[in-house]
Every structure is written in structure tokens, then in C-alpha cells.
Amino acid sequence: MRTDSATPIGAWAECVGSPYVWSTWGHLLHSIRTGENAFQSLNGKDIWNYRAERPEESAVFDRAMTEFSRGGAEAVIGAYDFSAFHHVVDVGGGRGLMLAAILTAHPRMQGTLFDQPGVIAGAEAVLEAHGVVDRCRMVSGSFFESVPEGGDAYVMRVVIHDWDDDEAIAILKACRRAMRETAKLVLIERIIAPANEVPATKFMDLHMLALPGGRERTRDEFSDLLAKSGFELTRVVPAGRINVIEARPY
């Protein structure tokens, strides 16, 4: 719970302890019965618009995502070799902690951080604190429409699990349009294990159903999703509690 912990969860505890989150869990039976998003049913809008109207809740969520990046970045960099890339585009990268960690590990690399305007506004301080702001361009926009061009690696950390298949495919297709044929797509996501294994990911799958309306996926489901978006899954690299899913355009 300490802010100086190597794997902090204080902001996440604050986020999931918020009334709008636990009241949604109280509406979980609706999702179990119908397969529909409990938050939308309870509030009449999706969680992203709800937070956009409440900057204080958005700030807590952004801090929680930054903490998760801090806790997992070292494992990802240790498991997956980014050294072949010259320019990494972090799509939906929040305040930039994951990208900052990648750039710190590779001093000659350039980066582009891409997220919504309100999120990007808080990123410069994070990038400057890690000494990489001079090697990182910050761009705002919607990843449903387009993402920045010019990268040879496009990274998304726990982004795709926030969305259902149609929305996830729209995001992935936007990346595909921006990518050269030689570029790589790098998804950092949980993968659902076989029955009676890794229950934490299955619990998170319920969380995604109830709140943002997304889902965790199996390896085969990721492969199918990528194929529908113009990619071929090339390998999956375990990185602690999460996985690095690499794909190439076709």
C-alpha cells in the first residue's frame, strides 16, 4: 500500500474501493444472466464517459494504471527483448511509465506516447522524472480512429482487455493502418489458463464483464482477434503474472 513500494497497489485499492465500482459488483447478477455490461445497465452510460465527467475518479484510475505499470514493467523488459526496435509507439500508454521504462533500458531508442488529451497532460512529469522526455513525443487522440505512424514496434499494455471483440478489432485495425510491414505489435495482456488454473485471471474476466465491458482471452482467442485485424500471432512470452503477445502484420 506504500507509494514507494516496488509493486504498489494503493491507488488500485482506492479505485476498486470507490462506491461506483463496488455498487457495480452488486449488480453482477445482471451480467451473469444476460452477458451485458453491469455498469452500463446500472448507470445508463459506459465507465469511460462516467469517469470523463468526474475528473477526480479519472485521476484515481490513471494513478492505478501507472502503479500497475511500475509493478510490471521490469518483468516485461526482462522477459521480452526490445533492443531490435528504434522507435516504440505506446498506444493507450497512460502517463508513460511503461514507455519510460523501455526507453530507460534502451538509451538510443525513440518513443511516442499516445493517449487521450486529458491523460497525456499528466505524462510529461513522468517522462521527465525518468530522464527520457527528450526522446519521447507525446500525441493525443482516439485509438479508434488513428494512431501515430513511424514506429517499428507498437505496444499496448492491458488495453485490449478493456473492450469487446468489435471494439478491440477497431483499435487493432487502427494500429495496422499505421504500421509498416516490418513493424511488430506487442500486446501486454493476461491470458486465460485452462480450467482450475490461474484463478486470478478468471476473476479479472468477471471484473471486465461488470465494469468496462471487456474480457480476458485465451491464446486462441487472441490469435483469432489478431487474424481478424490483419495480424499473425508469432509468439507469447510469459512475464510474471502477465504475458507479452507478439504479432506481425500480414
Side-chain angles (χ1 to χ4, degrees), residues 135-246:
R135 292 190 282 128
C136 188
R137 186 168 60 115
M138 289 169 279
V139 182
S140 62
S142 168
F143 51 34
F144 289 110
E145 298 170 4
S146 64
V147 304
E149 298 181 353
D152 52 0
Y154 283 72
V155 174
M156 281 189 281
R157 183 190 178 281
V158 290
V159 170
I160 295 302
H161 81 151
D162 284 332
W163 307 97
D164 66 19
D165 284 0
D166 290 343
E167 292 167 318
I169 288 170
I171 297 167
L172 291 168
K173 284 185 173 180
C175 291
R176 177 65 184 89
R177 290 192 296 270
M179 292 171 65
R180 298 189 293 263
E181 297 298 322
T182 55
K184 295 287 180 64
L185 178 71
V186 181
L187 305 181
I188 303 167
E189 294 277 355
R190 299 173 185 86
I191 291 181
I192 293 180
N196 301 319
E197 295 180 24
V198 195
T201 301
K202 298 176 176 71
F203 180 82
M204 185 56 71
D205 192 33
L206 276 179
H207 181 78
M208 305 314 294
L209 170 65
L211 279 105
R215 55 180 298 198
E216 306 297 345
R217 294 173 171 89
T218 65
R219 177 181 175 132
D220 287 346
E221 287 170 335
F222 270 114
S223 181
D224 182 60
L225 195 71
L226 288 163
K228 291 176 179 176
S229 308
F231 294 96
E232 177 189 4
L233 191 156
T234 51
R235 58 178 174 143
V236 174
V237 181
R241 294 174 294 176
I242 208 158
N243 299 273
V244 180
I245 302 166
E246 182 191 82

Side-chain angles (χ1 to χ4, degrees), residues 4-90:
D4 60 353
S5 167
T7 55
I9 61 165
W12 177 245
E14 185 180 359
C15 181
V16 297
S18 301
Y20 78 93
V21 175
W22 53 254
S23 62
T24 302
W25 273 94
H27 203 59
L28 180 63
L29 186 58
H30 173 80
S31 291
I32 299 300
R33 285 174 168 165
T34 67
E36 296 173 357
N37 177 229
F39 189 92
Q40 178 85 35
S41 172
L42 188 61
N43 295 280
K45 62 186 70 175
D46 65 43
I47 199 168
W48 309 108
N49 284 314
Y50 180 91
R51 288 195 186 112
E53 295 167 359
R54 295 163 176 80
E56 69 284 358
E57 300 291 4
S58 288
V60 172
F61 178 75
D62 289 343
R63 286 200 303 274
M65 295 303 100
T66 298
E67 283 189 353
F68 274 143
S69 293
R70 192 167 111 201
E74 185 176 337
V76 169
I77 292 169
Y80 184 82
D81 184 8
F82 287 90
S83 63
F85 305 126
H86 303 288
H87 186 166
V88 171
V89 180
D90 192 349

Side-chain angles (χ1 to χ4, degrees), residues 70-114:
R70 192 167 111 201
E74 185 176 337
V76 169
I77 292 169
Y80 184 82
D81 184 8
F82 287 90
S83 63
F85 305 126
H86 303 288
H87 186 166
V88 171
V89 180
D90 192 349
V91 178
R95 295 180 178 178
L97 194 58
M98 184 72 235
L99 182 57
I102 295 171
L103 295 179
T104 299
H106 303 283
R108 296 184 180 180
M109 186 182 289
Q110 299 291 313
T112 297
L113 180 66
F114 181 75

